[in-house]
Amino acid sequence: MRLFLLTALTMMAFAANSILNRMALAGLHIDAVSFGTIRLASGALMLGVLCLLFRGGLQLGGPARVVGVAALLVYMYGFSSAYISLDAGLGALILFGMVQITMFAAAVITKEAMPVLKWVGAGLALFGLAWLIWPGEAAQVSLLHGTLMALAGIGWGFYSLAGRKSKDALQATAANFILATPFGVLALWVLPGPAEAVEMNATGIGLAILAGTVTSGLGYALWYTVLPSLASSVAAVAQLTVPVIALVAGVLLLGEVVTLRIVLASALILGGVAISILAKRPG
């Protein structure tokens, strides 16, 4: 029961990243780049403190560090910028789908054994994503912001693949956040500002810090704590709940609307991912 509760709490933390980001941007409390930078820096601080407490120090080197830092930056700023327009649940759905498709593509490129069901599942998920963001009269998603979230998903997929080479996921995540933070500060001057004037206020800063320290920093640390106790298939399927939690929370907390198209596309994406995850490798 304790493991179940901790896993559920972690999934809620991951979904809360979408809620907090959308809440801050939709309310015009902060711009997307500033939100991403504050989230990144506060996450680095929290993860650094956790490493000092539980590992006795920080290790900023390690395998695939450059890839990890670059992928984290793509994820962080694609994620934040996408929520200028996307609803929280839609964003989480696109992000999750693209992460899984990116990791599937990497498996194909590296010539891993791929059963037919994995191909079927990946195809369903990709079709669901394409249908969700396809422009048209009934389109629910801005193509620009949907693409930004898709890029964020690709970034997180590469981040996850790079993380496989690490022997200590908490140390690796802390190092990536810490090393990415100076680039995040630079992004404040390099990346374009919002189309409309947004005056950053205490609410926006507070939401970004909350996303960085609690739902990112503590959320990732908690995930790496429970992950060794979960079977890989259970861990993967557990993450299927994140877009669902975000969709429900978006309706309850932000007044977002879930249409039939979103429900059907969600079923295709999540169902396809579940099929791909649970498919057995050929013996």
Side-chain angles (χ1 to χ4, degrees):
M1 178 59 74
R2 178 176 178 273
L3 181 61
F4 172 81
L5 292 175
L6 289 176
T7 303
L9 182 61
T10 306
M11 297 305 102
M12 286 189 283
F14 290 167
N17 280 321
S18 295
I19 299 298
L20 293 172
N21 205 146
R22 179 58 180 158
M23 190 179 295
L25 269 60
L28 299 179
H29 299 299
I30 193 172
D31 64 276
V33 177
S34 296
F35 186 96
T37 300
I38 294 171
R39 180 189 172 195
L40 183 63
S42 56
L45 179 61
M46 174 59 75
L47 288 163
V49 169
L50 290 173
C51 282
L52 292 173
L53 289 174
F54 297 108
R55 299 292 191 271
L58 284 168
Q59 297 177 0
L60 298 182
R65 185 65 64 237
V66 173
V67 174
V69 170
L72 177 61
L73 288 167
V74 171
Y75 156 74
M76 191 66 67
Y77 291 99
F79 186 89
S80 294
S81 299
Y83 276 126
I84 294 172
S85 171
L86 295 184
D87 285 352
L90 278 177
L93 190 62
I94 295 170
L95 176 77
F96 180 84
M98 282 307 303
V99 169
Q100 299 302 320
I101 288 171
T102 299
M103 298 183 76
F104 175 85
V108 173
I109 292 170
T110 55
K111 298 182 179 179
E112 287 186 20
M114 303 295 289
V116 174
L117 276 179
K118 278 191 176 292
W119 286 96
V120 171
L124 284 173
L126 186 59
F127 177 78
L129 276 172
W131 183 29
L132 188 65
I133 65 175
W134 194 264
E137 293 182 3
Q140 300 292 322
V141 180
S142 157
L143 185 58
L144 170 62
H145 297 98
T147 301
L148 286 170
M149 187 59 83
L151 288 173
I154 293 171
W156 196 253
F158 274 97
Y159 186 88
S160 300
L161 291 168
R164 288 179 174 178
K165 299 179 180 180
S166 174
K167 295 180 180 179
D168 187 335
L170 180 59
Q171 281 277 17
T173 301
N176 288 332
F177 268 73
I178 291 168
L179 294 173
T181 295
F183 295 98
V185 174
L186 181 63
L188 290 171
W189 284 273
V190 174
L191 294 179
E196 56 181 312
V198 177
E199 187 173 344
M200 185 165 53
N201 57 36
T203 299
I205 294 171
L207 289 170
I209 292 174
L210 185 61
T213 56
V214 179
T215 58
S216 294
L218 289 177
Y220 297 152
L222 182 58
W223 179 235
Y224 299 138
T225 299
V226 301
L227 196 54
S229 302
L230 297 173
S232 58
S233 59
V234 173
V237 171
Q239 294 179 73
L240 288 171
T241 63
V242 174
V244 178
I245 295 170
L247 281 167
V248 173
V251 171
L252 297 178
L253 300 177
L254 303 177
E256 296 174 354
V257 177
V258 177
T259 64
L260 179 61
R261 176 176 177 174
I262 294 172
V263 172
L264 294 177
S266 299
L268 283 171
I269 295 167
L270 299 181
V273 171
I275 290 171
S276 186
I277 288 170
L278 297 175
K280 294 181 179 179
R281 293 183 180 182

